[in-house]
Amino acid sequence: TGHFFSPVTPGASCGQPMQMFLLTSLGVDLGFSSSMLLQKFIVFQTVSTVYAAVLFFIESKFIISRINGTFMILFVIIGFLSQLIVMGFIISACFMPKTVKKLVRATAALLKRFKFFRDKGIDEKVEKTEEKLNIFYTSNKRFIKRPLLMLTVFIEITIQVTLIYAVPYFVYKCLLPNGSGAALTMFCSVAFVNVVSSMIPIPGSSGVSELAFSVFFGAFFTPTTLKSAVLIWRIITYYTPVLFGVPFALLIKKKGQPELKHIHKKGDCI
């Protein structure tokens, strides 16, 4: 479901909300589902950012040679900063319950000033929201207290990111079997393509991803194979996940799904 809604919405904004919606309809508590998805997101963002930083350190000369234009340098800097800001904001939200609850109450107090919201049971909604937040923070604490589980998740996400970054290299070896391009340099290139394209708030960062790929991978592919490489890379990393995600996204429309109450009876979904 996430692999369908993330690519087809601006800034991948609907991927996690739709996953939470589906999990809730299956009987998973909203506090647990939001905690689980945010923890996964934090780990993924951390691994991706650190991955890109390490690769830049190793392949700094190549990267600098490819981003010599002011426009591209600006995109890379903004991309890195936006990832760090988003990650910092979410981590703060995860571990600062008092601040978040104050924001919820302040928002509720503001809404009460408007006549339209006065009779909407705002106080009850605030209480329910705080209950869900308590479950959310309890889940986060449980996750942190299990270092082996955290390590497992980090390893799994690192493998996932590595496989995503490996796609252009295998495309390269298919189109130019005798090419001498280094795998590590290509990993670095695709990491920066993701950094540049992640800041564009349009579905799938269409247009920008292809442009960034052409800039970084123009050093490896010939002019005749570059367009084919861009197309194959996008089919594998963008269009295929969307296609595979369609049947799962359709689950949201189905009625009468079985409730999985055992998942959140004792707070052990993590």
Side-chain angles (χ1 to χ4, degrees):
T1 302
H3 278 297
F4 174 78
F5 283 102
S6 289
V8 300
T9 54
S13 55
C14 288
Q16 284 149 333
M18 294 311 289
Q19 287 178 81
M20 282 189 277
F21 179 83
L22 180 59
L23 286 167
T24 303
S25 69
L26 291 171
V28 181
D29 188 273
L30 180 61
F32 288 129
S33 63
S34 60
S35 174
M36 175 183 65
L37 292 168
L38 271 178
Q39 287 161 1
K40 164 50 163 71
F41 179 76
I42 290 169
V43 175
F44 187 88
Q45 284 295 107
T46 303
V47 170
S48 299
T49 305
V50 171
Y51 214 128
V54 170
L55 288 171
F56 175 75
F57 180 77
I58 296 171
E59 295 287 339
S60 56
K61 288 183 180 179
F62 172 78
I63 291 299
I64 291 170
S65 70
R66 302 309 296 177
I67 58 172
N68 50 10
T70 306
F71 184 72
M72 188 57 68
I73 291 172
L74 188 64
F75 263 89
V76 170
I77 292 172
I78 294 173
F80 255 118
L81 286 176
S82 63
Q83 287 197 356
L84 289 172
I85 290 168
V86 169
M87 195 166 62
F89 176 79
I90 292 174
I91 290 173
S92 300
C94 287
F95 303 106
M96 296 173 66
K98 291 182 180 179
T99 303
V100 173
K101 286 179 180 179
K102 283 180 181 178
L103 283 172
V104 170
R105 290 168 192 159
T107 304
L110 181 65
L111 291 175
K112 281 182 181 179
R113 294 186 178 184
F114 297 94
K115 187 176 180 180
F116 178 79
F117 293 102
R118 283 174 191 168
D119 300 322
K120 300 294 180 181
I122 290 178
D123 291 331
E124 292 178 8
K125 287 182 172 63
V126 168
E127 287 179 11
K128 288 181 180 179
T129 301
E130 289 186 349
E131 285 176 14
K132 299 302 179 186
L133 285 171
N134 289 333
I135 296 172
F136 174 75
Y137 293 120
T138 302
S139 301
N140 288 334
K141 287 179 181 178
R142 286 200 182 105
F143 184 60
I144 292 169
K145 289 178 181 178
R146 298 176 68 179
L148 185 60
L149 178 62
M150 284 185 67
L151 179 63
T152 304
V153 173
F154 269 96
I155 290 171
E156 288 176 347
I157 298 297
T158 302
I159 293 170
Q160 179 189 358
V161 172
T162 302
L163 291 173
I164 292 170
Y165 286 1
V167 171
Y169 176 73
F170 288 111
V171 172
Y172 172 75
K173 296 306 289 184
C174 287
L175 295 176
L176 297 168
N178 299 319
S180 58
L184 188 62
T185 310
M186 291 193 193
F187 276 41
C188 188
S189 298
V190 78
F192 273 80
V193 169
N194 289 343
V195 167
V196 171
S197 58
S198 65
M199 60 162 287
I200 307 301
I202 54 177
S205 301
S206 298
V208 178
S209 292
E210 290 82 353
L211 175 62
F213 188 94
S214 299
V215 169
F216 284 99
F217 284 88
F220 307 108
F221 292 94
T222 63
T224 53
T225 58
L226 183 58
K227 290 181 181 178
S228 299
V230 172
L231 179 62
I232 296 169
W233 169 68
R234 285 294 273 175
I235 288 172
I236 294 172
T237 59
Y238 179 69
Y239 296 106
T240 301
V242 170
L243 265 176
F244 275 104
V246 170
F248 300 98
L250 292 174
L251 287 173
I252 289 175
K253 291 186 176 181
K254 291 186 177 181
K255 303 294 182 181
Q257 294 117 324
E259 288 192 356
L260 306 179
K261 292 181 180 177
H262 63 281
I263 288 180
H264 60 91
K265 263 186 178 178
K266 296 181 181 179
D268 58 356
C269 82
I270 293 178

